[in-house]
Amino acid sequence: AGTGDVQPTLVFQGSIAGYTVGSNAPVATNVIDKYSYTSQTNATDVGDLITTGGRQAGHKSDTHGYASGGGTPGPYLDIIEKYSFASDGDAVDAGYDLSVAKIFGAGASTLTHGYSAGGSSNGSVATGDTIDKFSYSGSSNATDVGNLSVQRNRPSGHTSTTHGYIAGGTNDNENVFYNVIDKYSFASNGNATDVGDLTTTRAPEAGGASSLTHGFCEGGYNGGSSNVIDKWSFSSNGNATDVGDLVTGALRHVVSTSSTTHSYTAGGFSATNVIQRHAYASSGNTVDWADLTVSRFQGCGSQI
């Protein structure tokens, strides 16, 4: 409230660059790629994760990007790694872990905390409804602060100024796909509520971006890969609408990041290096923006 001329604090979106981190395939990698939001140039390799592989959840503070969980090759992980936006360079162990080792959690972020919702713990859906919360400045492990409306693996994660959202997903055996959009509060711990549906049942597999007002779910899988970009309102909740397609065609296991004006979708199955972007303000298809340093899928992302 006031003059109306002051922009809201940029809690989640970035204005400078996006990061695509790690990869499970076609070759497992620990590379941290960084690409510009303002200059249409290809990504550069600015550092490495401690662990090699993908399937992490991505988070961000004002100063660092975070990758939590992950695994394959090898066992599922509970590690939380962080990498500096100011200096780039290799990631370090944040010093605290998730409440359980898991892959494919859906990431969300506030200025002070990271969230990992849903996912799979060593092939079990027993932890597929948990919402993990950890402090960027703390020294204790993440705690389970609530549950999703339905257990699921491989959903997409989204962030508004007040809530985290997860969309879609599947069970561990990929026998059932969901269209549910869940919402949970940052201010008060507790369970998520079902606030709407995607246009199709699918496992977005990390293709989640966020403007200040809307969530965007990009690509995914439901027995076949999808090119659909879904959009829904944070303020009114309700079902998503189909507002465009991925220019590269149907993709899954993409990594999406969020600028103040566009979503960026990088990589995807099967093994592309394309970074494409989509304007929040207008419906339509993505455009080819730039390339990653290497073709990859099943990583995570952040933005500054």
Side-chain angles (χ1 to χ4, degrees), residues 7-127:
Q7 290 295 318
T9 300
L10 300 180
V11 175
F12 183 73
Q13 296 77 19
S15 59
I16 299 172
Y19 292 78
T20 297
V21 178
S23 171
N24 185 48
V27 176
T29 181
N30 62 355
V31 170
I32 302 171
D33 267 4
K34 178 181 180 180
Y35 56 91
S36 173
Y37 284 156
T38 59
S39 174
Q40 198 167 356
T41 54
N42 291 339
T44 56
D45 178 348
V46 297
D48 295 326
L49 295 175
I50 299 169
T51 58
T52 298
R55 304 184 179 183
Q56 309 94 334
H59 324 267
K60 66 152 290 183
S61 70
D62 268 355
T63 59
H64 290 80
Y66 292 76
S68 67
T72 64
Y76 294 0
L77 305 172
D78 61 5
I79 189 173
I80 300 173
E81 304 182 44
K82 69 177 183 178
Y83 49 94
S84 172
F85 292 144
S87 61
D88 292 325
D90 294 340
V92 298
D93 191 328
Y96 40 84
D97 301 320
L98 294 175
S99 67
V100 65
K102 66 177 176 179
I103 60 173
F104 288 128
S109 306
T110 70
L111 288 175
T112 57
H113 290 81
Y115 295 78
S116 176
S120 172
S121 177
N122 289 322
S124 169
V125 295
T127 57

Side-chain angles (χ1 to χ4, degrees), residues 113-238:
H113 290 81
Y115 295 78
S116 176
S120 172
S121 177
N122 289 322
S124 169
V125 295
T127 57
D129 65 350
T130 61
I131 303 170
D132 260 11
K133 176 182 179 181
F134 59 91
S135 171
Y136 298 139
S137 61
S139 57
S140 57
N141 292 341
T143 55
D144 177 356
V145 296
N147 299 116
L148 303 178
S149 66
V150 61
Q151 296 186 98
R152 55 202 193 270
N153 182 22
R154 307 187 186 190
S156 59
H158 313 263
T159 298
S160 77
T161 55
T162 58
H163 290 80
Y165 293 77
I166 78 161
T170 181
N171 65 11
D172 275 11
N173 297 320
E174 293 190 349
N175 294 324
V176 178
F177 293 90
Y178 303 100
N179 61 1
V180 176
I181 302 170
D182 267 4
K183 170 183 177 179
Y184 57 92
S185 172
F186 294 143
S188 58
N189 298 331
N191 295 336
T193 56
D194 179 347
V195 295
D197 295 327
L198 298 175
T199 60
T200 62
T201 57
R202 66 187 193 270
E205 299 178 330
S210 308
S211 72
L212 284 174
T213 58
H214 290 80
F216 294 80
C217 179
E218 309 189 347
Y221 179 78
N222 62 353
S225 295
S226 170
N227 65 353
V228 172
I229 302 171
D230 273 359
K231 174 183 178 180
W232 72 92
S233 170
F234 289 149
S235 61
S236 61
N237 297 322

